């Protein structure tokens, strides 16, 4: 090194390779032989000088020191073999850097290197440890098909352009700790079909655009948390070992994911699709309440800030064996359950949210008001109710698709399909002793049976009565109102027709046979006449009728003297009103039992 230049001087000379005179430079280049060790630390290569070096070395280097060197635009090392350790720490590549097909037989270090143009490492082979710690990539980066036999470290590297690691093979532990993929392109980082044979350390990684791990294979752990401001595309990815990772992403595509071991995904913000996923062991999707951090530094600065946006929403479960799925604190209001298997064995924990019927009162048939009972509904019912039919008016279909796309009529579920979904979800909650939670699913199942055209007419009529009188034994207020109405009608009928004006009296009547003979005495009751006019509605008769009705509700005889009509009224009352009382008690118990 000299005062004017910080580069390493050529042995036997007073200057670095660039600053040597013409004859001295020719002698220095002539001394280079393929496979020899070189030390060009700090050298600022011109295109001509770099071309002369690579020509002299015949693309074969031994121990190569390029620390803090500056390389011209479009530097080419494609197919170059580095037979000893190669050091590019702090090097600056002023344009495109081509290392396609290069082979590094020993250690390769690019720590703090700066790539101003595109970096091409396609099909490069690293036999020893490779390091890109704190490296800066200002343009596109291509590591497609790269092979790393030992540890690969990209910790705290910045990738400003599109980055591709497709079909890369990492045989050693790979570190992307706190790396930042800053491109806003449709796909900022692509790890599709990559293979991670040892632990993949992605702790604190941030993706500004979409990150793709489609059909990637993780033979060992995948460590996070990972934050993606767009979509994390994991379609077809394979996880062979137990997994526990935190992910914050706007969308999470886990279609056709395969988990061969237990896995736990702690999620934030994500709208998750899990269609056709193969779950061989229990897999947990849960909402993570605490923001993800890297030490003391937050990782979610670019995530949405709207209220409720942090919630985790599950969108699709078709083709999934739900027996191995555990959902904790997940929003299921838009989840399509149809097409999943063993849905009755799914585990629903925490506070899972579901859809709800439209609010407010609407005008129905014959100008009658229509409103919906508050309950949990699945998206399949919302799709079914949103489609107009012969027995559904505009009031029946309005408001059911709030926040949802319009369904395809050809693919919308039938009432029987929706009933099956409700039945399986009900059983899943009942098996966990969550009877109050299962009640809403029972209500939905009965609703679909009531509306199903394939249900026999007699059964549909019974279901209509069951719904009208007590909300399928789940609406205590409805049953109590029905009971009060029945009691009021019974009281009125007794006052009008069932209570005599005075207690009946008995007397003996004589009957003389027509041909003469012995007189026959016959007992007879009198005084069973009902008062006429306004006398029927007196306070005294109201009190007597009330005692009869109250005793009928508890299935007891009042002991009151009644007219023949009143006896029939009492019998009907003793048959119907205890049933309504029992339905009210059943509904109340269903809501409070543990």
């Amino acid at each position: 090194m000299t005062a004017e230049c910080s580069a390493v001087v050529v042995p036997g000379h007073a200057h670095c390779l660039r600053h040597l005179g013409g004859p001295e430079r020719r002698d220095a280049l002539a001394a280079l032989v393929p496979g020899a060790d070189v030390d060009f630390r700090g050298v600022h290569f011109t295109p001509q000088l770099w071309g002369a070096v690579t020509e002299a070395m015949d693309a074969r280097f031994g121990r190569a020191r390029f620390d803090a060197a500056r390389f011209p635009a479009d530097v080419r090392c494609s197919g170059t073999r580095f037979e000893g350790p190669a050091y590019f720490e702090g090097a600056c590549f002023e344009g495109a850097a081509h290392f396609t097909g290069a082979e590094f037989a020993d250690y390769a270090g690019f720590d703090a290197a700066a790539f101003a143009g595109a970096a091409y490492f396609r099909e490069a082979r690293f036999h020893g440890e490779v390091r890109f710690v704190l490296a800066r990539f200002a343009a596109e980066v291509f590591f497609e098909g790269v092979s790393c036999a030992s540890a690969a470290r990209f910790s705290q590297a910045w990738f400003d352009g599109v980055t591709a690691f497709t079909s890369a093979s990492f045989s050693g532990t790979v570190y992307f700790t706190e790396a930042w993929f800053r491109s806003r392109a449709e796909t900022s980082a692509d790890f599709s079909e990559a293979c991670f044979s040892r632990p993949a350390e992605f702790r604190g990684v941030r993706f500004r655009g979409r990150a793709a791990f489609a059909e990637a294979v993780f033979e060992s752990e995948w460590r996070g948390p990972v934050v993606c401001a767009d979509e994390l595309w994991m379609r077809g990815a394979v996880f062979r070992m137990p997994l526990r990772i935190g992910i914050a992403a706007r969308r999470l595509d886990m279609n056709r994911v395969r988990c061969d071991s237990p896995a736990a995904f702690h999620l934030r913000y994500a709208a998750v699709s899990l269609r056709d996923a193969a779950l061989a062991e229990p897999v947990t999707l849960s909402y993570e309440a605490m923001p993800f951090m890297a030490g003391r530094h937050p990782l979610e600065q670019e995530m949405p800030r709207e209220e409720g946006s942090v919630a985790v929403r599950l969108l699709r479960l078709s083709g999934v064996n739900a027996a191995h799925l555990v959902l904790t604190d997940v929003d299921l209001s838009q989840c399509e359950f149809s097409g999943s298997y063993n849905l009755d064995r799914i585990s629903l924990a925490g506070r899972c949210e579901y859809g709800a019927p439209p609010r407010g009162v609407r005008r129905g048939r014959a100008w009658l008001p229509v409103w919906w009972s508050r309950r949990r509904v699945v998206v399949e019912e919302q799709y079914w109710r949103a489609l107009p039919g012969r027995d559904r008016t505009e009031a029946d279909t309005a408001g059911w698709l709030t926040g949802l796309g319009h369904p395809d009529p050809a693919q919308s579920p039938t009432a029987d399909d929706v009933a099956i979904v409700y039945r399986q979800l009900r059983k899943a909650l009942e098996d966990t002793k969550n009877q109050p939670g299962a009640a809403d699913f029972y209500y939905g199942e009965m609703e679909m049976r009531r509306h199903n055209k394939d249900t026999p007419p007699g059964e549909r009529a019974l279901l209509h009565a069951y719904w009208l009188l007590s909300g399928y034994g789940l609406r205590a207020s409805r049953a109590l109102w029905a009971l009060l109405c029945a009691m009021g009608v019974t009281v009125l009928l007794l006052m009008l027709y069932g209570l005599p004006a005075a207690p009946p009296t008995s007397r003996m009547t004589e009957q003389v046979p027509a041909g003469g003979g012995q007189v026959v005495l016959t007992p007879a009751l009198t005084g069973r006449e009902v008062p006429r006019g306004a006398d029927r509605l007196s306070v005294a008769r109201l009190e007597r009728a009330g005692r009869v009705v109250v005793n009928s509700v508890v299935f007891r005889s009042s002991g009151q003297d009644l007219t023949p009509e009143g006896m029939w009224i009492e019998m009907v009352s003793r048959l119907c009103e205890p049933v309504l009382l029992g339905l009210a008690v059943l509904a109340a118990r269903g809501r409070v039992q543990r």
Side-chain angles (χ1 to χ4, degrees), residues 525-548:
L525 292 175
T526 60
R528 290 197 176 207
E529 295 80 7
V530 177
R532 296 181 181 276
D535 293 339
R536 294 182 178 187
L537 303 177
S538 65
V539 175
R541 290 175 63 81
L542 175 63
E543 187 271 335
R544 290 172 59 193
R547 284 202 303 266
V548 174

Side-chain angles (χ1 to χ4, degrees), residues 214-448:
E215 300 186 19
V217 178
F218 293 85
E219 301 282 356
S220 187
E221 296 178 79
W222 185 30
R223 301 167 182 164
V226 174
V227 176
C228 182
D230 201 322
E231 179 180 23
L232 190 59
W233 207 41
M234 296 166 52
R235 182 173 299 182
V238 178
F239 300 95
R240 303 196 187 279
M241 297 298 290
L243 172 68
R244 182 184 180 91
I245 189 171
I247 297 175
R250 290 178 184 264
R251 294 178 300 277
L252 183 58
D253 187 337
M254 297 179 66
N255 297 333
R256 296 189 291 106
V257 160
R258 195 176 89 196
C259 295
D260 297 335
S261 298
F265 296 88
H266 301 280
L267 308 176
R268 290 172 59 81
Y269 301 95
V272 186
S273 178
L274 204 61
R275 185 175 54 223
D276 296 325
L279 312 180
E281 296 289 341
V283 173
T284 300
L285 301 183
S286 65
Y287 164 68
E288 177 60 45
M290 298 300 296
F292 295 130
M293 307 284 287
R296 296 183 178 180
H297 305 290
L299 297 173
E300 303 176 2
Q301 296 95 328
E302 299 188 30
M303 300 304 293
R305 298 297 179 184
E306 298 84 2
E307 183 178 357
S309 62
V310 72
V312 177
R313 294 173 291 124
L314 183 59
L315 303 181
R316 296 176 187 86
L317 268 183
S318 57
V320 175
N321 182 0
H324 293 137
L325 184 60
V326 181
L327 302 177
T328 304
D329 298 329
V330 176
D331 184 349
L332 302 175
S333 60
Q334 301 179 29
C335 181
E336 297 177 8
F337 294 96
S338 297
S340 59
Y341 305 97
N342 296 319
L343 187 59
D344 57 328
R345 296 167 60 188
I346 192 173
S347 296
L348 302 173
R351 299 183 60 183
C352 292
E353 301 291 336
Y354 301 88
R359 293 182 177 272
V361 180
R362 293 172 173 80
R363 187 178 62 196
R365 297 183 182 89
W367 298 82
L368 294 176
V370 174
W371 66 91
W372 301 100
S373 176
R374 305 308 302 165
R375 59 186 175 91
R376 303 171 183 175
V377 299
V378 296
V379 73
E380 284 84 356
E381 180 179 354
Q382 299 185 59
Y383 287 156
W384 179 83
R385 288 191 182 273
L387 293 175
R390 290 180 301 174
D391 62 341
R392 292 197 287 273
T393 65
E394 183 178 352
D396 295 326
T397 61
W400 279 97
L401 285 182
T402 303
L404 301 174
H406 197 77
D408 182 358
Q411 299 181 356
S412 293
T414 64
D416 192 49
D417 295 332
V418 183
I420 292 173
V421 171
Y422 275 126
R423 187 177 305 121
Q424 292 180 319
L425 290 174
R426 172 175 61 85
K427 184 178 183 300
L429 291 184
E430 288 175 345
D431 289 345
T432 60
K433 308 302 180 183
N434 186 358
Q435 300 295 343
D440 281 347
F441 294 144
Y442 173 74
Y443 192 104
E445 177 189 352
M446 299 299 284
E447 276 285 273
M448 294 300 103

Side-chain angles (χ1 to χ4, degrees), residues 449-450 452-464:
R449 288 178 58 190
R450 182 167 69 92
N452 191 352
K453 297 298 185 182
D454 295 331
T455 303
E459 183 179 343
R460 289 190 69 189
L462 181 62
L463 289 172
H464 272 81

Side-chain angles (χ1 to χ4, degrees), residues 2-191:
T2 65
E4 297 80 10
C5 176
S6 61
V8 172
V9 300
V10 177
H13 299 274
H15 300 283
C16 70
L17 183 63
R18 180 182 180 183
H19 292 104
L20 290 177
E24 293 178 322
R25 180 184 296 179
R26 284 193 295 272
D27 293 342
L29 291 174
L32 298 178
V33 295
D37 296 343
V38 296
D39 189 349
F40 295 124
R41 285 175 289 173
V43 173
H44 188 176
F45 289 97
T46 62
Q48 297 77 13
L49 180 58
W50 178 250
V53 170
T54 54
E55 181 179 359
M57 300 298 296
D58 194 21
R60 286 177 55 211
F61 291 85
R63 178 185 176 91
R65 299 298 302 267
F66 292 99
D67 313 58
R70 297 178 66 88
F71 294 90
D74 203 33
V75 62
R76 295 189 176 273
C77 293
S78 298
T80 299
R81 175 177 172 81
F82 296 89
E83 298 175 349
Y87 299 89
F88 289 86
E89 279 88 348
C92 179
F93 296 85
E94 297 177 347
H98 297 266
F99 286 85
T100 301
E103 183 174 3
F104 297 82
D106 205 322
Y107 170 85
F110 290 83
D111 288 355
F115 295 83
Y120 298 88
F121 286 85
R122 293 189 177 107
E123 305 294 335
R125 290 175 292 170
F126 297 92
H127 297 281
E129 181 182 2
V130 55
R131 294 175 59 96
F132 285 87
V133 177
L134 293 172
R136 298 293 184 266
F137 297 90
E140 296 84 359
V141 184
F142 302 96
F143 280 88
E144 297 109 316
V146 70
S147 174
C148 299
S150 188
R153 301 179 183 274
F154 294 84
S155 300
Q156 298 180 309
W158 282 18
F159 301 85
D160 290 341
V162 175
T163 304
F165 282 88
T166 53
S167 301
S169 176
F170 298 96
S171 299
T173 303
V174 59
Y175 298 87
F176 282 90
T177 307
E178 298 184 30
W180 193 4
F181 296 84
R182 294 153 47 96
S183 173
R184 295 186 182 274
E186 181 179 357
T187 301
S188 62
D190 192 350
F191 291 84

